[in-house]
Amino acid sequence: MTESPTPVRLRVAPSPTGDPHVGTAYMSLFNLAFVRQQGGQFILRVEDTDRARFQADSEQQIYDTLHWLGLDWDEGPDVGGPFAPYRQSERLETYRPVADRLLADGNAYHCWCSTERLAEMRTAQQKAKLPSGYDRLCLGKTRDERAALPGFSEQPVLRMLIPDDAPASFVDLIRGEVAAPRPDDQVLMKTDGFPTYHLANVVDDHEMGITHVLRRRGDPLLAAHHV
């Protein structure tokens, strides 16, 4: 792999939801090796927006495990850096303007469907052997229009609007052309005001100047791509 014309910046972004995952250490090893070979920076970002599964002691366990393995980072919640904070729960003011802009530009929409209604929808799709995914019942509707229909919830989430012709392929530095199925209209902002991975991860990679992402694509194969 040839050297990047600009310093590379790679990150691992574990979630403090339990015991440290071996995959975090596995990917940290490859990220750190590539960064050191390229003369770049290795960033540890804690993605703690899943408050339902959050465990207060898990973050320290992540630090302890990676340090024990000798996998040290250049920037992170515990050491700081030019793009602090590196803990997503402390970056909520960064995500809200992006979500508002997506909504204003027609690239996202409010969804008032209850969890019960969504569960019934998925069950019906599975029984009919249809691809699972949100059926866009709320798309284009006002709150009052949606409230007149079954399965309404007072607190909406924000969903991304995936265009029907959205490109679903990219060039991977290792695997070449990679194609993916058309994504669902995933939730971007939850009812608790926290972003999901689909929004926070992308915003943070952009804001923190992440240049490459290394990810697992089955053992032991790795794939990499420019951000």
Side-chain angles (χ1 to χ4, degrees):
M1 188 178 295
T2 58
E3 284 196 20
S4 172
T6 57
V8 302
R9 290 176 57 81
L10 281 78
R11 51 76 175 162
V12 291
S15 298
T17 55
D19 293 338
H21 194 280
V22 67
T24 300
Y26 180 75
M27 291 314 306
S28 295
L29 173 62
F30 286 98
N31 275 270
L32 188 59
F34 184 52
V35 160
R36 296 294 178 254
Q37 189 267 335
Q38 294 285 318
Q41 294 85 40
F42 177 46
I43 295 93
L44 174 66
R45 186 171 71 224
V46 174
E47 299 196 339
D48 58 346
T49 61
D50 187 348
R51 307 310 288 179
R53 297 194 300 146
F54 172 78
Q55 295 187 20
D57 61 341
S58 182
E59 183 176 319
Q60 186 60 51
Q61 292 177 14
I62 293 170
Y63 299 157
D64 293 344
T65 299
L66 294 181
H67 281 313
W68 179 70
L69 293 168
L71 303 173
D72 300 324
W73 45 96
D74 302 301
E75 302 170 26
D78 58 333
V79 297
F83 297 95
Y86 294 89
R87 193 178 288 112
Q88 286 186 333
S89 62
E90 299 174 357
R91 297 175 58 81
L92 299 185
E93 71 280 0
T94 302
Y95 312 124
R96 186 77 257 177
V98 177
D100 291 343
R101 187 163 69 247
L102 289 170
L103 182 61
D105 292 344
N107 295 313
Y109 60 97
H110 285 125
C111 174
W112 290 273
C113 289
S114 65
T115 54
E116 294 79 11
R117 194 257 160 188
L118 294 173
E120 291 171 359
M121 178 198 70
R122 294 189 189 98
T123 299
Q125 289 171 340
Q126 291 170 357
K127 288 182 178 179
K129 297 183 178 180
L130 296 172
S132 61
Y134 183 59
D135 60 4
R136 293 183 169 177
L137 177 64
C138 293
L139 179 61
K141 292 183 176 63
T142 65
R143 179 194 177 282
D144 290 342
E145 289 171 340
R146 179 62 185 87
L149 300 175
F152 175 79
S153 175
E154 286 289 345
Q155 282 289 93
V157 299
L158 186 70
R159 289 185 181 272
M160 69 174 83
L161 177 60
I162 302 296
D164 293 333
D165 59 349
S169 64
F170 62 93
V171 178
D172 189 277
L173 297 180
I174 295 174
R175 301 183 66 198
E177 186 76 15
V178 175
R182 182 181 177 281
D184 185 22
D185 287 0
Q186 296 288 341
V187 173
L188 298 177
M189 296 290 291
K190 297 175 286 187
T191 57
D192 62 3
F194 278 76
T196 64
Y197 166 89
H198 306 287
L199 178 65
N201 178 273
V202 175
V203 172
D204 285 345
D205 280 354
H206 174 73
E207 293 288 334
M208 294 179 181
I210 302 303
T211 61
H212 296 69
V213 173
L214 293 178
R215 64 199 187 282
R216 294 179 63 184
R217 302 293 287 182
D219 288 329
L221 181 63
L222 291 172
H225 67 274
H226 282 99
V227 172

